[in-house]
Amino acid sequence: MIDIADITKTFDKNTVLTGVSETIRKGEIFAIIGPSGQGKTTLLRILGLLEKPTTGDVLLEGKSIVKLSDNDPVRRRIGMVFQNPVAFKDSVYHNIALGLHYRGFGKEEIRERVLQKLDEIGLSGYEERKATTLSGGEKQRVSLARIMVTGPDILILDEPTANLDPVSTEVIEDLIRHYNKKLGTTVILSTHDLIQGQRLADRVAVMMNGHFIQSGTIFDVFTRPCSVDVAKFIGIGNILVGKVIRKEDGLSVILVHDVEIHAISNAPAGTNVRIAIRPEEITLHTGPDRWSSARNVIFGTIEAVKPFGIISHVNVKSGELTLSVQVTWQSIRELDLKPGVEAVLSFKAPSVHIMPEENGNECI
Amino acid sequence: MNDLLTGIQTAFLLILTADSEVLDITFRTLQITFSSVLISTIIAIPLGAIITFNEFWGKKSLISVIQTLYALPTVIVGLLCFMILSRSGPLGTLGWMFTPNGMVFGQTILIIPIMTGLTIAALQAIDPIITDTIRSLGATRFQFLKSHLREARFTIMAAVIIGFSRAISEVGTAIMIGGNIKGHTRVLTTAISLQTSMGNFNLSLALGIILLVIALIINLFMGIVQNR
């Protein structure tokens, strides 16, 4: 539906986008994730027709949309909601009706549509309220309704819940999902909240240094990060350097420091690789029983226990190798885990993700 | 002190008995001030919007000049208008010298800068996300301007009130262009000036109280509108 073709954007001498390309499909929820200050907002503003790219093009159904005049009707097919909820100094009713006034709808039809949207966002009866007195979450619901009442084909959301409490966030996410499923609206959103990306999106793209470093399904990106930077960003804790030393039972044996790790990989023996193991996929035991079913078993000593809310990160050192493991606080107490205690780590071969040895940040 | 008290008493008496001269002067003042505010509003608000939403060379300097003119002395406006409107001036053929029309002309020139400048400030104070939202909703150029003016309406209304206050309270232009002709161009401020110099403090005080009451009513009205 939307083809982004090698977009760059430079403000004065500051290059924000360094060449973004991607195809966004009709009816999907496409999430752009990435650390702050990497160009997510700028890209969305270009897609939302609020900014023009310095070079490159954006095609909507094959037609360029980067140079539309202010009065071009195609603009009305794309709506945008912003990070900071804003309301016009008017009633809630007028706030939601604004886009319909622009389109010249009749009074009756406006009324019908606005009341329906108020019902959808759970603010029925708020018509006459001053919109500026609403809470942040309510304002953001009104912002969403204000755009959706005009029936756009494409909805762009820039960090729509970044400033909201968890309850309001859930309401907004439910509405986004609702509009996507019920109306078939194509949704493009940015978020620094990885979990939100996973909850909402059909596909995600990771934006770093002004372009997409990796894009694909949630599963692809979150289980198979293409580079160390992506792996770090999506929170894979254990990133290690190793070398494939031999093949065994269809698996690759990778030497990391002085420990042999079994993994699934096509890399031939002798290849230098980076490996990543999600901390939550490693099991920690203290006794000798029942750890042997996994392919990789490592004996070590606990080096540190770092609390992270109800989950703690436990660092276990085996020779030169240190691995981080997630353990619930209950287990920490029951097993009396503390520095110096001997522990056994086990994880399966498919839990080990292989990435090529660092070749810059490029990997698409 | 006694003079002041009897003065205030007489002043209220003059107002309550609807003294014909006092009424005449008050009515003329309102007519002239409302006319100049109306004309200035029609010019200043669109002008402010055009300056705010267009990028052009010298924009910042222009805004600085407009802001400097907030303090434009009324006698300088009087002098300029005198030169423009006098028989040998460029607009001398209009014959507006020593007429209410001439006074409206002078007051309009006096308050356009402040009303334009405050309109610019009001529009610039709008949250940029509001601007983005308006564009994203698919507003045409005209709808874009209309929505911004609506969003800034309370601050712009304040700009109009300030223009009104400056116009109704100025004396320099009124006396130089109007000439303080009884029954023709005499307004509250010029009458106060004249009556005071003639020692008629009672009448001066009455006129002064009326001037203040008008300002009060306008501001109360403004407060009601803003709180709605």
Side-chain angles (χ1 to χ4, degrees):
Chain A
M1 185 170 208
I2 298 176
D3 289 297
I4 307 169
D6 202 20
I7 282 184
T8 68
K9 180 71 182 178
T10 305
F11 294 103
D12 295 324
K13 282 181 184 158
N14 185 16
T15 300
V16 179
L17 297 178
T18 53
V20 181
S21 296
E22 182 63 46
T23 297
I24 291 157
R25 298 163 198 168
K26 194 178 167 112
E28 74 173 343
I29 300 185
F30 184 80
I32 301 168
I33 58 173
S36 300
Q38 304 287 319
K40 298 196 293 288
T41 298
T42 305
L43 176 63
L44 290 183
R45 289 178 64 84
I46 290 171
L47 297 179
L49 308 178
L50 298 174
E51 209 84 67
K52 289 183 170 60
T54 308
T55 62
D57 206 351
V58 181
L59 307 176
L60 173 62
E61 289 159 355
K63 289 195 185 101
S64 174
I65 53 169
V66 296
K67 285 181 185 135
L68 297 181
S69 77
D70 280 356
N71 295 346
D72 196 300
V74 173
R75 299 186 80 92
R76 297 188 168 172
R77 295 182 57 192
I78 304 171
M80 186 159 177
V81 173
F82 304 89
Q83 179 173 350
N84 295 315
V86 290
F88 290 86
K89 287 179 186 140
D90 257 309
S91 65
V92 170
Y93 183 92
H94 186 91
N95 263 270
I96 298 178
L98 190 58
L100 299 175
H101 283 300
Y102 289 165
R103 285 158 180 75
F105 280 82
K107 237 182 175 176
E108 277 309 304
E109 175 142 28
I110 291 180
R111 179 151 196 89
E112 198 180 305
R113 286 199 186 202
V114 170
L115 293 183
Q116 189 207 337
K117 278 287 166 291
L118 275 169
D119 185 48
E120 279 171 12
I121 63 171
L123 292 178
S124 283
Y126 278 59
E127 295 91 298
E128 296 311 319
R129 273 277 290 272
K130 265 192 201 171
T132 43
T133 64
L134 297 176
S135 74
E138 288 166 342
K139 271 187 204 160
Q140 199 65 320
R141 277 190 261 169
V142 168
S143 302
L144 192 56
R146 186 165 50 210
I147 286 294
M148 289 313 297
V149 79
T150 66
D153 296 329
I154 298 150
L155 173 64
I156 296 173
L157 305 120
D158 183 16
E159 301 261 6
T161 61
N163 297 326
L164 304 184
D165 61 88
V167 178
S168 300
T169 298
E170 202 183 329
V171 173
I172 295 285
E173 285 182 5
D174 286 346
L175 284 168
I176 294 169
R177 232 178 260 119
H178 168 84
Y179 291 131
N180 173 253
K181 294 280 170 299
K182 275 274 161 70
L183 309 174
T185 313
T186 304
V187 178
I188 306 169
L189 66 95
S190 72
T191 180
H192 65 270
D193 178 356
L194 296 173
I195 312 295
Q196 179 170 68
Q198 294 179 42
R199 276 196 301 263
L200 283 175
D202 298 310
R203 289 194 309 129
V204 290
V206 184
M207 182 162 244
M208 281 179 180
N209 304 316
H211 61 272
F212 291 155
I213 190 163
Q214 182 174 12
S215 69
T217 62
I218 296 283
F219 184 80
D220 277 345
V221 174
F222 282 86
T223 60
R224 294 199 282 270
C226 70
S227 81
V228 173
D229 281 348
V230 177
K232 277 182 188 158
F233 176 70
I234 63 175
I236 298 187
N238 300 303
I239 299 170
L240 308 159
V241 182
K243 186 177 194 168
V244 181
I245 50 169
R246 66 174 187 277
K247 299 282 180 177
E248 191 179 293
D249 303 343
L251 298 175
S252 297
V253 179
I254 298 162
L255 189 68
V256 180
H257 297 296
D258 43 2
V259 178
E260 288 187 359
I261 289 175
H262 295 79
I264 299 170
S265 161
N266 300 326
T271 317
N272 289 323
V273 289
R274 295 270 187 150
I275 68 169
I277 311 162
R278 286 188 168 275
E280 61 267 35
E281 298 202 18
I282 304 175
T283 318
L284 183 147
H285 319 259
T286 47
D289 55 326
R290 298 188 44 157
W291 39 258
S292 53
S293 71
R295 191 74 202 211
N296 293 293
V297 177
I298 296 169
F299 296 84
T301 311
I302 293 178
E303 204 179 35
V305 178
K306 300 174 189 166
F308 268 87
I310 54 168
I311 301 283
S312 290
H313 285 199
V314 177
N315 288 356
V316 177
K317 197 170 164 81
S318 172
E320 289 299 304
L321 173 70
T322 303
L323 287 174
S324 179
V325 191
Q326 286 187 1
V327 184
T328 63
W329 64 273
Q330 260 175 321
S331 302
I332 303 256
R333 282 207 299 201
E334 279 167 17
L335 301 175
D336 192 26
L337 301 182
K338 57 191 176 199
V341 171
E342 291 196 353
V344 185
L345 303 181
S346 61
F347 49 94
K348 294 176 180 160
S351 301
V352 182
H353 175 67
I354 312 286
M355 295 167 286
E357 210 203 16
E358 206 54 36
N359 52 347
N361 292 316
E362 306 315 312
C363 53
I364 284 184
Chain B
M1 193 64 205
N2 216 16
D3 274 359
L4 194 63
L5 280 179
T6 44
I8 290 171
Q9 272 175 3
T10 329
F12 276 103
L13 204 68
L14 279 169
I15 296 167
L16 293 175
T17 55
D19 178 85
S20 68
E21 195 186 349
V22 171
L23 274 186
D24 178 61
I25 294 172
T26 306
F27 185 66
R28 184 173 310 106
T29 305
L30 287 175
Q31 218 175 13
I32 289 173
T33 309
F34 275 120
S35 303
S36 49
V37 169
L38 187 69
I39 296 167
S40 304
T41 304
I42 292 168
I43 296 169
I45 292 177
L47 187 63
I50 288 167
I51 293 172
T52 309
F53 294 117
N54 287 289
E55 295 310 318
F56 51 89
W57 186 86
K59 176 173 172 171
K60 274 191 180 152
S61 316
L62 177 65
I63 294 174
S64 297
V65 169
I66 290 170
Q67 285 169 344
T68 308
L69 294 179
Y70 288 5
L72 192 60
T74 57
V75 283
I76 290 184
V77 175
L79 172 67
L80 280 174
C81 291
F82 198 98
M83 290 164 74
I84 293 169
L85 295 177
S86 67
R87 211 154 285 275
S88 55
L91 296 179
T93 48
L94 289 172
W96 279 1
M97 207 53 216
F98 306 118
T99 65
N101 282 350
M103 295 166 78
V104 170
F105 181 83
Q107 287 189 349
T108 303
I109 288 172
L110 181 71
I111 63 176
I112 278 180
I114 199 162
M115 284 172 64
T116 307
L118 292 176
T119 300
I120 292 170
L123 292 171
Q124 284 178 340
I126 291 177
D127 189 332
I129 300 171
I130 287 281
T131 302
D132 286 340
T133 303
I134 290 170
R135 293 183 62 198
S136 182
L137 282 170
T140 60
R141 191 75 190 152
F142 178 70
Q143 289 164 339
F144 175 89
L145 289 174
K146 207 173 121 187
S147 286
H148 276 90
L149 289 173
R150 185 179 169 88
E151 185 65 10
R153 63 193 178 279
F154 297 126
T155 340
I156 290 175
M157 225 184 281
V160 175
I161 299 289
I162 289 171
F164 178 89
S165 308
R166 185 151 159 81
I168 202 170
S169 62
E170 74 85 23
V171 59
T173 314
I175 220 154
M176 288 167 81
I177 305 299
N180 198 19
I181 302 164
K182 188 176 180 181
H184 185 48
T185 59
R186 183 165 296 172
V187 288
L188 286 167
T189 51
T190 55
I192 291 170
S193 165
L194 178 75
Q195 298 301 336
T196 306
S197 66
M198 284 164 53
N200 287 336
F201 299 126
N202 300 347
L203 188 55
S204 282
L205 267 175
L207 298 172
I209 289 167
I210 290 171
L211 201 56
L212 283 172
V213 168
I214 292 171
L216 184 70
I217 291 169
I218 295 286
N219 274 293
L220 284 177
F221 171 75
M222 176 78 184
I224 290 165
V225 173
Q226 283 189 334
N227 280 322
R228 248 194 340 172

